Amino acid sequence: MDTSAFLKSHIRTVPDWPAPGVQFRDITPLLQDPKVFRVLIDTFVHRYMDAALRPTVVAGLDARGFIIGSVLAYELGVGFVPIRKKGKLPFTTVEETYELEYGSATVELHTDAVRPGDRVVLIDDLIATGGTMMAGRRLLEKLGAEVTEGAAIVDLPELGGSEKLRASGLELFTLLDFAGH
Ligand SMILES: O=P(O)(O)OC[C@H]1O[C@H](OP(=O)(O)OP(=O)(O)O)[C@H](O)[C@@H]1O
Ligand SMILES: Nc1ncnc2[nH]cnc12
């Protein structure tokens, strides 16, 4: 079994959660087994250790992006910055509002989180409509940083997010996908 199929076999699908019609792709089983968690993180670490792709900062999207993003940053020896849902960050922020598969949200980033010249890998667990990652990218770019790549474990291609993100010019790296959402 290749890495993608191995990781996919540890994702649990929960039908009709958090709303009827949503097939929720639950990554918690990936994190729960230490051997699987290591394979997951090492896959990202190996990619971003490469000199050409090595970031100066890893930015993680609230909340599941924090779990993988902070470990990735630690392993790469770079800083981690959280992009949080509105109302959680205490210092001055920039903000963006966007639509989700089920609802809408506003995300914020501290104004001193990144600087012009930073090369940022922006990471989350999953791309659905792509709204969250697009909003995160806009926040980082508002502060003058370059998002060199967006990264996620799961792509839900039928929701169109990955295509939209790539069409906007973002480089995107995902480990596996689910056809049909
Ligand atoms: O591509 P999109 O349509 O924007 O959807 C993907 C986002 O939705 C989920 O987060 P959610 O907002 O449910 O928050 P959580 O991580 O706090 O559960 C997921 O973890 C991504 O962040
Ligand atoms: N179908 C889904 N499963 C898990 N997380 C999600 N975020 C948005 N859509 C999702």
Side-chain angles (χ1 to χ4, degrees):
M1 199 189 288
D2 68 11
T3 304
S4 167
F6 174 72
L7 293 173
K8 189 170 177 174
S9 72
H10 289 83
I11 292 175
R12 169 169 52 203
T13 296
V14 181
D16 299 319
W17 198 91
V22 177
Q23 299 282 331
F24 193 85
R25 309 300 181 178
D26 174 20
I27 63 156
T28 61
L30 277 177
L31 311 170
Q32 205 171 334
D33 180 325
K35 290 192 260 344
V36 183
F37 191 28
R38 184 168 295 278
V39 170
L40 170 69
I41 297 299
D42 284 353
T43 305
F44 287 117
V45 170
H46 288 143
R47 179 170 181 82
Y48 296 114
M49 275 291 189
D50 184 298
L53 293 177
R54 195 183 174 86
T56 58
V57 173
V58 174
L61 289 156
D62 195 345
R64 290 170 255 156
F66 297 170
I67 301 167
I68 46 176
S70 58
V71 182
L72 174 63
Y74 180 86
E75 288 292 329
L76 294 175
V78 302
F80 173 79
V81 301
I83 293 174
R84 296 217 63 183
K85 292 185 175 141
K86 189 172 172 62
K88 299 290 185 184
L89 290 173
F91 186 58
T92 55
T93 62
V94 283
E95 68 174 57
E96 281 282 337
T97 298
Y98 63 100
E99 300 305 313
L100 281 173
E101 184 185 2
Y102 38 81
S104 81
T106 300
V107 283
E108 293 183 299
L109 177 63
H110 275 151
T111 50
D112 64 354
V114 292
R115 287 187 292 198
D118 272 322
R119 293 165 45 81
V120 183
V121 167
L122 174 58
I123 195 159
D124 205 349
D125 67 324
L126 177 143
I127 311 282
T129 67
T132 308
M133 189 159 286
M134 193 75 94
R137 178 194 186 193
R138 282 199 294 266
L139 290 177
L140 292 158
E141 289 179 349
K142 269 185 191 173
L143 299 180
E146 179 193 357
V147 179
T148 51
E149 195 153 272
I153 304 167
V154 180
D155 180 22
L156 304 182
E158 291 186 0
L159 287 169
S162 52
E163 192 182 342
K164 189 175 74 179
L165 289 164
R166 288 194 174 101
S168 79
L170 183 68
E171 295 292 331
L172 199 57
F173 176 66
T174 58
L175 302 185
L176 59 101
D177 62 57
F178 285 89
H181 60 91

